[in-house]
Amino acid sequence: MAAKSRKKISLFNIFNITGFIIFSIMVIYPFWQTIVLSFSDAESASSLGLNLWPDKWIPDAYQYVFTYENIMVAYLNTIIRTVIGTALIVCFTVLAAYPLSKKDLPYRNFFTIFFLIAMFFSGGMIPDYLLIKNLGLLNNSLSLILPSAVNVFFIIIMRNYFMTIDKGLEESAIMDGANYLTILTKIIIPVSKPVIATVALWAAVYHWNEWFHALVYIQDDSKTVLQIVVRDMLTAMDISNSQGAQMGGGGMSSAELMLSNVRAATVMISIGPIVLIYPFVQKYFIKGIMIGSLKG
């Protein structure tokens, strides 16, 4: 019986490991293909099939992207927006979730329902624009940060996590004379690193990728974000290549092939910071989601 059990376990491990290897290759290959394409020349980009290694590592696409007008300013604006916006979201989420996690909070159900209504229903784009305009935030970087500073979904996730924390920790601190602010900063936050890291990652990804508010509220090129500049750059290249193709007849020109290289380079530049941050918070990510979604 023991031998049969070990045989079944070994077969399971073989199939399990094989499946994960295949899945990992399926996930990693498109990412690696994009890296290879971004460092390839126009001729290599035209070839089909598995391109696991470029013939020559050519950084022309990256040089074009980083020399484009306003690209570095937009990159810096996006970094600043992501850092400040993430900090505000985490701060407001903690401050809202902690009181809502208390079952003895007066009118707790009312405030919870109020938050939920705000999560499912919104005024729409035109009321949002008029609000930003009346607040004097048009063409202001704060218009990219303040409207998203409070996220109800994040508050619910963090509130549920706080409700799983042992109440004895707070009761002992209260007996020692600590107030709620001290309990929050000295006890709750240190033991809530998984959910805080999860919310911070979600907020950072949102601010890094979000472009619509910048398109609507920002007119000054010195205040725009990376995604808008990248879109303008690729659109300009596409129009230029289309005009060149119409003038030169059929076939794919080297400039058109270069567009695919530039697109790959912009993908790598756009996702680079998030990819670098993720490994540092990954160990908290799954735990924060699981615990934060269990208790209602």
Side-chain angles (χ1 to χ4, degrees):
M1 293 293 294
K4 291 182 178 181
S5 177
R6 285 195 295 270
K7 185 177 181 180
K8 291 180 179 180
I9 293 175
S10 62
L11 289 175
F12 172 77
N13 290 338
I14 291 174
F15 284 109
N16 195 26
I17 294 173
T18 303
F20 274 108
I21 291 175
I22 295 174
F23 177 77
S24 300
I25 293 174
M26 293 173 61
V27 173
I28 294 173
Y29 174 71
F31 184 77
W32 176 250
Q33 175 73 8
T34 304
I35 296 176
V36 171
L37 182 59
S38 67
F39 283 101
S40 299
D41 55 10
E43 184 178 355
S44 299
S46 63
S47 61
L48 300 176
L50 297 176
N51 296 320
L52 299 179
W53 198 263
D55 296 333
K56 295 180 181 179
W57 290 88
I58 301 176
D60 291 352
Y62 290 93
Q63 291 177 0
Y64 177 85
V65 172
F66 282 114
T67 56
Y68 190 79
E69 184 181 5
N70 294 326
I71 189 70
M72 297 306 297
V73 173
Y75 212 111
L76 180 61
N77 290 340
T78 303
I79 293 175
I80 294 174
R81 174 193 177 178
T82 301
V83 172
I84 297 177
T86 301
L88 284 179
I89 288 178
V90 172
C91 180
F92 289 151
T93 301
V94 171
L95 294 177
Y98 181 62
L100 290 176
S101 67
K102 303 299 179 185
K103 294 184 178 180
D104 56 349
L105 175 71
Y107 306 106
R108 176 175 178 264
N109 292 333
F110 168 78
F111 288 118
T112 302
I113 294 174
F114 180 81
F115 277 113
L116 290 175
I117 292 175
M119 182 174 69
F120 290 111
F121 302 98
S122 65
M125 183 176 66
I126 295 177
D128 288 345
Y129 181 86
L130 294 177
L131 176 62
I132 295 297
K133 180 180 179 181
N134 293 333
L135 291 175
L137 296 179
L138 283 181
N139 203 29
N140 191 317
S141 298
L142 291 177
S143 63
L144 309 180
I145 298 174
L146 294 181
S148 58
V150 176
N151 188 296
V152 179
F153 176 74
F154 296 165
I155 292 173
I156 299 300
I157 292 292
M158 192 168 291
R159 184 207 68 157
N160 294 346
Y161 188 96
F162 287 163
M163 292 175 65
T164 64
I165 298 176
D166 187 4
K167 302 302 180 184
L169 295 174
E170 296 186 56
E171 293 174 356
S172 61
I174 292 174
M175 293 178 63
D176 291 336
N179 56 32
Y180 282 112
L181 183 60
T182 302
I183 294 173
L184 177 63
T185 56
K186 301 295 184 180
I187 298 177
I188 301 300
I189 292 179
V191 301
S192 302
K193 290 181 180 179
V195 71
I196 292 176
T198 300
V199 169
L201 179 62
W202 284 342
V205 171
Y206 164 77
H207 275 294
W208 187 265
N209 293 328
E210 205 281 329
W211 56 271
F212 183 73
H213 287 164
L215 180 65
V216 175
Y217 302 141
I218 302 298
Q219 291 84 38
D220 191 349
D221 291 339
S222 64
K223 299 177 182 179
T224 191
V225 295
L226 177 64
Q227 288 71 22
I228 298 296
V229 176
V230 168
R231 186 203 64 163
D232 294 341
M233 177 182 61
L234 294 178
T235 301
M237 284 192 66
D238 200 7
I239 293 175
S240 177
N241 293 338
S242 298
Q243 293 175 349
Q246 291 176 1
M247 294 175 60
M252 184 175 289
S253 66
S254 60
E256 287 178 303
L257 293 174
M258 187 60 186
L259 178 59
S260 63
N261 300 121
V262 174
R263 283 174 176 166
T266 56
V267 169
M268 299 309 304
I269 292 171
S270 299
I271 68 174
I274 299 299
V275 172
L276 293 177
I277 292 173
Y278 183 79
F280 296 99
V281 299
Q282 187 269 342
K283 62 181 179 179
Y284 302 112
F285 189 72
I286 297 177
K287 183 178 178 182
I289 296 175
M290 293 300 295
I291 297 180
S293 61
L294 291 178
K295 196 166 185 178

